[in-house]
Amino acid sequence: MTEPAKQQPRIYLSPPDVTDLERKLLLAAFDSNWVAPVGPDLDAFEARCAELTGVRHAVALSSGTAALHLALIAAGVRRGDTVLVPSFTFAATANAVMYLGARPVFLDSTPESWNVDPQILADELRGRAVRGQLPRAVITVDMYGQCADYGPIADACDRYGIPLIEDAAEALGATYRGRPAGSFGLAGVLSFNGNKIATTGGGGVLVTDDGSVAKQVRHLATQAREPVPHYEHRTIGYNYRLSNLLAAVGRGQLQRLPQLIEARRVTGEHYRAALGDLPGVTFQPVASYGVPNRWLTCLLLESGLRDRIIHELEKVNIEARPTWKPMHLQPAYQDCVMRGGAVSADLFHRGLCLPSGSALTGHDRERVVAAVRSVAAGREKG
Ligand SMILES: *Cc1c(COP(=O)(O)O)cnc(C)c1O
């Protein structure tokens, strides 16, 4: 009988990375008594989000999902409408469409970036224009921190006058042809959930160049209260604003954003160098049109091996996960239309996300690499 090995500390997929800076800003906000969804930290956080994404307006909200919901309202989406959505995404993207009683039509990805295939999008819009069934909006997703191909996507949307909403929840700090993620649609959506590249412990931001969109979203997020002394409501609102305390944490994270991105880039490069020679392994391609923020490093390998790696990493206290399960394969969306599907299904069956947090140490990376290599080499462990 062998002694069970002493368990090493857990390595998470993408844990928050907060420091004394964020702590000080949080306590300063607390001490200022701006303990409400309004205050100077919220204003400064919004201003910085607008600056970083190169747009005029930012509205801080309770989550990225709330930002998607309000972006769709601002785009005019109503009950019974159709919205084109990439299948390969996190459920929040499609769920926001359902909140409004609209229907997503799912589109497949291109293997070149794992983002929505611009050709499938253009074909779908052309076909729908002919049938007189244009969608009310198009949502794109910047997958794992890499922008979709906005040249052809914006062309296709503009041709039919369809508003674009950019789900840049994973992509803060990424660029497409030098232009920041979040700036490509009528509205862009950022997430500051605990697992994202920068966090407020939970939060989201809607960014837009359109002053009337920003105004409408701010109004809807504060219970749609009219600016009169009594409680007057002409429309149904939501309680979606971010707390000033959390915005203070976000301010610290944004100050550190270049380091947060650089740390994830170093980790991604390390995994590529250390695992790229394994048979059949390919990493998420980096498209030549932009610079990703490297939120998560993901790779493809034979699906049996992928599942074995996840299982064996768990035994040595390392969290790794399959890539997103496409929406067209989700029971909750089984009745929805899907265009294509083979690419996103394959990404799901063979995709593996490796621990990519910005506080990951060199020692952590070595543990991950050693564990993956030992499974790939077929050795039995523990
Ligand atoms: C995280 C995420 C969201 C949701 O953001 P929350 O802040 O968690 O609500 C939406 N879309 C994508 C692609 C995401 O990764």
Side-chain angles (χ1 to χ4, degrees), residues 63-66 68 89-90 92-93 141 143 167 169-170 191-193 195-196 203-204 295 324:
S63 68
T65 308
L68 280 163
T89 183
F90 178 52
T93 317
V141 180
M143 192 42 61
D167 181 349
E170 304 171 1
S191 169
F192 290 86
N193 192 39
N195 63 341
K196 295 290 167 30
W295 175 52
W324 301 125

Side-chain angles (χ1 to χ4, degrees), residues 69-107:
H69 185 187
L70 298 186
L72 288 165
I73 295 177
V77 174
R78 280 174 304 221
R79 181 165 298 280
D81 284 343
T82 298
V83 179
L84 305 188
V85 180
S87 182
F88 189 61
T89 183
F90 178 52
T93 317
N95 289 351
V97 175
M98 299 298 280
Y99 296 166
L100 292 168
R103 297 293 287 177
V105 164
F106 294 117
L107 309 179

Side-chain angles (χ1 to χ4, degrees), residues 44-55 57-59 172 190 192 205 207 254:
F45 178 60
E46 288 181 340
R48 189 68 188 129
C49 285
E51 199 173 15
L52 281 168
T53 51
V55 301
H57 308 278
V59 184
L172 176 64
L190 308 175
F192 290 86
V205 173
V207 290
L254 294 184

